[in-house]
Amino acid sequence: MNKLYGKTVFITGATKGIGRSCALAYAEKGSNLILTARSSDLLDSLKEELIRKYGIKVFTLVLDVTKSSDVEEKIKSLPESFKKIDILINNAGLALGVDKVYLASPTDIDTVVDTNIKGMLYISSAIIPLMLKNDSGHVVNIGSIAGDCAYAGGAIYCATKAAVKTFSDGLRIDLVDTKIRVTNIKPGLVETEFSKVRFKGDLEKAKNTYKGIEALTPNDVADVVIYATNLPENVQLTEIAMTPNHQADGRTVHRDK
Ligand code: NDP
Ligand code: 8X3
């Protein structure tokens, strides 16, 4: 049964990878979308594609989740018809580098922590009050299996994804007397531009991340997001971990030669 038709879904980092796949998957279900990211041209072309293919309503916000005042102002300025947000997908995020933690630059540390943790907090704090007005909603945080166990070269990224888990758990407690649900989705290796960003444009290194293993696709993750948010309202999936068949955890991957 499709409970998602006509719902309004707010997605951060909607221009690429998992966020983009979620946008397409919700559009296919007939949801209306608020798409956000920093790249206005990609937002515009995605909006045009979704309206043309699915006839849904789409609103775009050029938004850097790390800028708290921008987040607050832009969410306040949403048109009334987009202010009843049913589902929030906190997806924008990144890793930078695989250096030992004490070699990482302060700028990279700030970017990763500000995006993955503070961005999620700013967006959630701006949107949850809107959900509370109707005592309904679903917050989906895109965490990672990286938050369950650290791996070499991932200390900062893994710490931010552990924070996604702890924040999700705390938020679920804060909202326990409401109808708002909170789900932390924790994928393993997903082939997107994530590694291109992590390796700062080094495509060879990025490609090697997925060598010898059939990684998850962003559509695989979107399918799970759709599943979690399409369940009856009495059902709250607290966490879902998902990995490619040949990945056991953040440290353990079997690769074909
Ligand atoms: P991509 O690099 O493909 O996409 C990242 C998206 O985030 C882009 O749309 C980008 O858009 C947006 N974004 C980045 N920084 C900001 C910012 N400051 N403000 C707003 N938007 C921003 O990565 P993925 O799709 O793979 O990653 C999405 C999420 O999934 C991340 O949280 C990541 O940690 C998580 N994840 C990824 C896994 C993987 O293996 N790929 C596995 C597990 C979790 P723009 O540049 O236009 O702003
Ligand atoms: C991203 C997946 O395994 O590269 O969360 O850390 S991994």
Side-chain angles (χ1 to χ4, degrees):
M1 182 168 162
N2 177 16
K3 295 174 183 304
L4 302 171
Y5 184 84
K7 299 271 185 196
T8 298
V9 184
F10 187 109
I11 305 175
T12 68
T15 48
K16 293 177 197 158
I18 295 169
R20 188 175 195 282
S21 286
C22 287
L24 287 158
Y26 279 108
E28 204 170 49
K29 294 282 183 197
S31 306
N32 298 314
L33 295 167
I34 303 166
L35 305 176
T36 76
R38 295 164 303 177
S39 320
S40 63
D41 49 342
L42 292 180
L43 283 174
D44 288 347
S45 57
L46 182 58
K47 175 179 177 176
E48 188 275 321
E49 178 186 345
L50 295 176
I51 292 174
R52 180 170 38 82
K53 274 196 194 155
Y54 301 103
I56 57 164
K57 292 185 200 131
V58 180
F59 192 81
T60 55
L61 279 181
V62 179
L63 189 62
D64 181 336
V65 296
T66 67
K67 309 247 181 309
S68 62
S69 54
D70 211 25
V71 166
E72 209 177 315
E73 272 167 36
K74 287 192 173 157
I75 290 174
K76 267 194 192 135
S77 74
L78 281 171
E80 280 310 312
S81 56
F82 280 94
K83 272 196 174 144
K84 188 189 169 300
I85 295 169
D86 299 292
I87 298 167
L88 162 62
I89 314 288
N90 271 316
N91 164 75
L94 79 169
L96 289 173
V98 286
D99 286 334
K100 289 183 190 290
V101 65
Y102 49 84
L103 298 174
S105 79
T107 315
D108 284 357
I109 293 172
D110 283 349
T111 304
V112 175
V113 171
D114 287 358
T115 310
N116 298 4
I117 306 180
K118 288 159 83 178
M120 171 183 64
L121 300 180
Y122 298 149
I123 293 281
S124 303
S125 300
I127 289 180
I128 289 166
L130 299 176
M131 290 179 166
L132 284 169
K133 280 188 186 162
N134 303 294
D135 190 17
S136 78
H138 198 149
V139 179
V140 176
N141 295 324
I142 304 298
S144 169
I145 60 162
D148 290 339
C149 80
Y151 56 80
I156 298 160
Y157 178 71
C158 294
T160 66
K161 291 299 177 179
V164 174
K165 184 219 161 16
T166 313
F167 170 66
S168 304
D169 292 347
L171 182 61
R172 205 175 299 111
I173 294 168
D174 287 350
L175 294 171
V176 73
D177 57 346
T178 76
K179 291 190 178 151
I180 302 172
R181 296 176 284 180
V182 181
T183 302
N184 177 20
I185 302 216
K186 306 187 296 184
L189 288 166
V190 188
E191 191 158 359
T192 63
E193 292 199 11
F194 178 86
S195 294
K196 183 178 158 199
V197 172
R198 176 172 229 167
F199 292 109
K200 302 183 177 179
D202 186 328
L203 296 180
E204 195 56 37
K205 284 187 182 163
K207 220 170 95 198
N208 282 340
T209 308
Y210 311 107
K211 204 171 172 183
I213 181 165
E214 192 181 341
L216 296 172
T217 68
N219 291 345
D220 294 330
V221 181
D223 285 346
V224 171
V225 173
I226 292 284
Y227 175 77
T229 53
N230 195 33
L231 288 167
E233 283 187 12
N234 64 313
V235 182
Q236 172 173 238
L237 289 183
T238 56
E239 281 197 2
I240 306 170
M242 56 188 293
T243 60
N245 201 345
H246 290 304
Q247 180 175 30
D249 58 29
R251 295 174 192 158
T252 316
V253 174
H254 169 77
R255 294 179 195 273
D256 291 335
K257 296 281 179 257

